[in-house]
């Protein structure tokens, strides 16, 4: 099965300049397209920090009506719950437990001058 990109591509939506609204509209848009070549990002590490060195945009097929990213995520989650309820409960618990550590790491990175 071919990889599918759901939502708007960067620069395609008229609301992309609104930081919160752009990703929400993209996630709810019933637009999908086949991924011909996935995007590629290379990084450089310097002084224990990782920086984006180069981003090569991906190539995508023509847009078509499809399942939005939000709806597909819900369907995938429900399928995961149905297929492996214990694994899903464990993953949810681990995800919630990791939030404080991730927030602390983000705060530390901000104090060090990271974006």
């Amino acid at each position: 099965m071919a990889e599918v990109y759901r939502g708007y591509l960067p620069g395609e939506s008229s609301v992309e300049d609104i930081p919160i609204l752009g990703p929400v509209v993209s996630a709810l848009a019933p637009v999908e397209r086949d991924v011909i070549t996935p995007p590629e990002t290379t990084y450089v590490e310097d002084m224990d920090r990782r920086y984006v060195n180069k981003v090569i945009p991906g190539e995508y097929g023509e847009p078509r009506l499809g399942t939005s990213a939000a709806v597909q995520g819900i369907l995938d989650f429900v399928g995961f719950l149905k297929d492996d309820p214990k694994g899903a409960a464990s993953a949810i618990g681990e995800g919630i437990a990791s939030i404080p550590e991730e927030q602390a790491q983000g705060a530390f990175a901000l104090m060090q001058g990271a974006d």
Side-chain angles (χ1 to χ4, degrees):
M1 185 174 168
E3 186 178 352
V4 175
Y5 182 90
R6 289 179 167 74
Y8 295 121
L9 294 173
E12 188 176 45
S13 170
S14 62
V15 294
E16 70 179 7
D17 295 332
I18 304 170
I20 294 174
L21 190 57
V24 170
V25 169
S26 183
L28 295 174
V31 177
E32 66 181 26
R33 61 192 89 218
D34 293 325
V35 177
I36 298 168
T37 306
E40 188 177 324
T41 304
T42 58
Y43 299 93
V44 173
E45 292 194 25
D46 183 33
M47 297 175 61
D48 295 330
R49 290 199 185 157
R50 188 169 142 173
Y51 301 95
V52 173
N53 182 39
K54 185 177 182 183
V55 177
I56 301 171
E59 293 181 43
Y60 303 92
E62 291 297 314
R64 63 180 179 271
L65 188 62
T67 308
S68 71
V71 170
Q72 188 62 49
I74 292 168
L75 293 174
D76 291 345
F77 180 71
V78 169
F80 183 45
L81 278 174
K82 187 178 110 184
D83 295 340
D84 186 10
K86 288 182 182 180
S90 175
I92 292 168
E94 289 172 10
I96 292 171
S98 71
I99 291 172
E101 181 182 342
E102 291 174 7
Q103 292 295 311
Q105 288 176 350
F108 182 72
L110 285 173
M111 289 188 302
Q112 298 296 321
D115 289 345

